[in-house]
Amino acid sequence: MNPRAFLFTLLMLILFHCQTDTGIGIKNVNYINNLPPLRPNPYIELPLGTIHPEGWLKEQLETMARGMTGNLDDLYPAVLGSRNGWLGGDGDGWERGPYWIDGLLPLAYQLNTDTLIEKIRPWIEWSLEHQMEDGYFGPVPFESPPKPEPGIQKTPRRDWWPKMVMLKVLKQYYTVSGDERVIDLMKKYFKFQLQELPGTPLDKWSFWANRRGADNLMIVYWLYNITGEAFLLELAELIHEQTFPYTRVFLNDSCQQYNTLDHLYHYNIGNRYPFDEELIDRLCIEQLQSFHCVNLAQGIKAPVIYYQQHPDEKYLQAVRKAFSDIKKFHGQPQGMYGADEPMHGNDPTKGVEFCSVVEMMFSLENIIQITGEADFLDHLEKIAYNALPTQAKDDYTARQYFQAANQAMLTRTRHNFYEDDSHDGTDLCYGLLTGYPCCTCNMHQGWPKFTQNLWLATEDRGIAALLYAPSTVTAKVDSGKEIKIMEETNYPFEESIHFTLSLPSQIRFPFHLRIPAWCSSAEVFINGVSHQKYPGGQIIVLDRTWDDGDRIELNLPMHVEISRWAENSAVVERGPLVYALKIEEEWNYVINEDKFGDYWEVLPKSNWNYGLLQSGIDDPSSGFTFEINSLENNPWTQTSPPCQIRTVGKRIPEWTLYYGNAGPVPHSRPQLYLRDRAAEKITLVPYGWSTLRITEFPVVE
Ligand SMILES: [Zn+2]
């Protein structure tokens, strides 16, 4: 270390140890929060292995272990077999290997399954044992261009991007293993990056790395908090400078509508570092084809990640505005956006890529730890409990590349997507390789990382349950006292959540709980006695002395509410769940010889072209009847819906299929010609349980 860096580090360590007031309250001594000068975060991720799924969530993770997540090496050997570059081979050497492990690793430790942990080991070991002298790690670069093989991404092996995924894997592995080789590898690699990036910037080999630089940046901060080495903050500035300027683009108020495709979306000639300043000022989310869907899902956290080093309000404003603009111009009610693959407007049949779903969840999970803002938590639950459960088949043996809010038929046919030709109409079918294979490998992080974020340590030495699902956690509170909490609930299908505390003795610590914005009046009971009622849209803190065996009940009353979307369509929501028309389905397995492999098509066997009645929209409490059915082990995959909403609707004969899906949603206006038509009883089911569905309904008289 040079003398200047040494003095800086020393100063930081002194400052850190002298600090008694972080601005948030007493400092957490049990877990590593940000070291100065990074701003301390309100919430801190717990080590992998301390949070375990229970109830339906455990069943969901076990289904993944039996399905693609636990068996992808056998199902997809051409890419994930021993020829993979991340195992030292001459085969696939880009993102797909690390993607799979990024989801399999947390799943394996959350379920504590030895056979899955054994599958991860070669991937971790190869990376740790084959770092090069200069600090480079990952697939060995080819000396001359390799012979191309269809379906295998052999190059660019030096690309900074796939290494970002493996850094996320290694971070998780360290929190469960304490393996110091991880720290050594990262130190050496980040010194290599500091030396190399000025001449070979993030996007030297592909534009993906400049759009996804925040994934690199967050691991640099994580390592800094462990080692306190000043060079890491210098590297952080360099990575930020070479990352796409999301903050500026998100804050742009007016932009010019023009064909941005070549500049932003297209990965061969996308805007590279140093970025074209004039172009950056003319860009915004509103533009069609502005961002690539997965880049936006990953990049949206970039301003908030950097905010830790530069706590300027503009970074938070940029991200809040970005979420608002995404919803306004491209939003779908499951919490995602139409972007197949460039941004494609708010029509409910536009595609939502599976990678976008899980990456947006991961971004929100990180944003929450840094900001502690309740809105982001509501948004994360909306994606987790609507978009996530439905994009993989119930037994986790196949997945869609795109899902859509309105999907009346899933067959191999032309669709009105941007990316349709090269995917040959397979995007909506359930398969292993339909659409494009990135999601086959990347989808697995969704549930395990959501599970990992059910519980967080708090800067004020307490514990937080900000997202709700059945689980147990073991964590340290106060000054190093270990506690265990069991969370029992059928949320999001039911309204109450029960926590039971196991403590070694009486302990005072704060317990943070989120009250969702959709809940107008939540009630907390402590040991069966009403404690207090709270309005929604906030995080509450129960700071008191707790006894072993204390029970906390959080009751979140849910009511049917209507939100309005494209063409003034209506969406039925209740609590965190969005509801969609139940359509009878016929599933057909198609044996297919081309590169997309076998797949499932799903055909509608009942009518789907209904509008909802204006009278019901005006008075949801009388127009919609909620019923809970039986909740088996895993409500998402049981054969009958876990709950349903009864209402009536009218068929709109002109609303027919268009490009293999429901046609453009008819504009909601007084449809005089339908007045005399009889209303029919219809059933709405949870979006996350549905396959075929209409979610955005026209409203009729
Ligand atoms: Zn994908």
Side-chain angles (χ1 to χ4, degrees), residues 95 99 292-294 341 353-356 399 401 436-443:
E95 65 189 10
Y99 265 164
H292 176 269
C293 55
V294 186
E341 301 182 13
E353 188 183 326
F354 209 161
C355 282
S356 301
R399 91 290 175 274
Y401 185 66
Y436 193 74
C438 50
C439 304
T440 305
C441 301
N442 194 14
M443 59 187 269

Side-chain angles (χ1 to χ4, degrees), residues 494-546:
E494 291 182 336
E495 299 174 345
S496 55
I497 301 143
H498 300 261
F499 302 95
T500 306
L501 309 186
S502 299
L503 311 181
S505 59
Q506 272 198 341
I507 310 173
R508 179 171 178 175
F509 64 89
F511 192 164
H512 296 221
L513 294 166
R514 161 180 142 265
I515 312 295
W518 49 257
C519 181
S520 55
S521 178
E523 189 166 11
V524 169
F525 297 83
I526 298 178
N527 296 325
V529 178
S530 176
H531 174 70
Q532 199 174 323
K533 289 190 173 180
Y534 301 89
Q538 60 169 332
I539 292 168
I540 61 164
V541 181
L542 305 172
D543 188 0
R544 53 189 273 149
T545 301
W546 302 97

Side-chain angles (χ1 to χ4, degrees), residues 277-556:
E277 301 280 321
E278 195 201 346
L279 183 62
I280 293 297
D281 286 336
R282 294 163 63 199
L283 296 174
C284 65
I285 287 171
E286 179 181 352
Q287 289 156 339
L288 292 180
Q289 302 174 353
S290 54
F291 288 92
H292 176 269
C293 55
V294 186
N295 285 347
L296 182 61
Q298 293 188 243
I300 198 163
K301 67 179 174 290
V304 175
I305 299 294
Y306 187 61
Y307 169 81
Q308 297 175 96
Q309 191 170 0
H310 291 272
D312 183 327
E313 184 66 18
K314 78 174 177 184
Y315 296 111
L316 304 185
Q317 281 167 0
V319 173
R320 292 186 200 114
K321 180 171 178 296
F323 275 108
S324 167
D325 286 348
I326 290 171
K327 185 176 177 184
K328 191 190 306 178
F329 300 113
H330 310 274
Q332 291 191 14
Q334 78 291 71
M336 293 300 299
Y337 45 92
D340 45 39
E341 301 182 13
M343 304 304 281
H344 199 173
N346 63 1
D347 181 296
T349 60
K350 298 306 176 218
V352 176
E353 188 183 326
F354 209 161
C355 282
S356 301
V357 172
V358 297
E359 291 292 355
M360 183 56 94
M361 289 179 64
F362 182 67
S363 284
L364 281 162
E365 286 152 8
N366 284 283
I367 288 169
I368 286 158
Q369 293 168 23
I370 296 165
T371 66
E373 289 183 19
D375 284 355
F376 296 128
L377 290 152
D378 289 355
H379 195 150
L380 174 57
E381 267 196 2
K382 177 154 277 184
I383 298 172
Y385 288 152
N386 296 284
L388 181 64
T390 178
Q391 201 149 356
K393 198 163 162 284
D394 286 354
D395 60 6
Y396 241 77
T397 58
R399 91 290 175 274
Q400 290 178 293
Y401 185 66
F402 292 148
Q403 66 167 294
N406 285 3
Q407 50 182 38
M409 184 170 85
L410 311 177
T411 58
R412 183 172 185 173
T413 186
R414 293 289 110 193
H415 293 106
N416 193 19
F417 297 143
Y418 172 81
E419 200 70 70
D420 192 59
D421 285 339
S422 65
H423 300 179
D424 210 9
T426 63
D427 289 313
L428 291 176
C429 300
Y430 283 83
L432 182 73
L433 300 175
T434 41
Y436 193 74
C438 50
C439 304
T440 305
C441 301
N442 194 14
M443 59 187 269
H444 311 284
Q445 63 172 317
W447 284 113
K449 292 188 183 172
F450 182 73
T451 303
Q452 185 62 25
N453 280 274
L454 292 172
W455 294 93
L456 296 167
T458 67
E459 174 61 359
D460 57 6
R461 299 187 188 184
I463 189 89
L466 306 181
L467 306 159
Y468 303 118
S471 56
T472 53
V473 61
T474 305
K476 288 178 181 155
V477 295
D478 191 31
S479 26
K481 292 172 185 150
E482 190 168 284
I483 66 163
K484 190 172 176 183
I485 304 178
M486 183 166 59
E487 177 176 351
E488 294 169 288
T489 182
N490 276 317
Y491 186 89
F493 305 99
E494 291 182 336
E495 299 174 345
S496 55
I497 301 143
H498 300 261
F499 302 95
T500 306
L501 309 186
S502 299
L503 311 181
S505 59
Q506 272 198 341
I507 310 173
R508 179 171 178 175
F509 64 89
F511 192 164
H512 296 221
L513 294 166
R514 161 180 142 265
I515 312 295
W518 49 257
C519 181
S520 55
S521 178
E523 189 166 11
V524 169
F525 297 83
I526 298 178
N527 296 325
V529 178
S530 176
H531 174 70
Q532 199 174 323
K533 289 190 173 180
Y534 301 89
Q538 60 169 332
I539 292 168
I540 61 164
V541 181
L542 305 172
D543 188 0
R544 53 189 273 149
T545 301
W546 302 97
D547 281 309
D548 183 39
D550 272 353
R551 287 172 297 111
I552 301 159
E553 181 187 345
L554 174 64
N555 198 21
L556 302 169

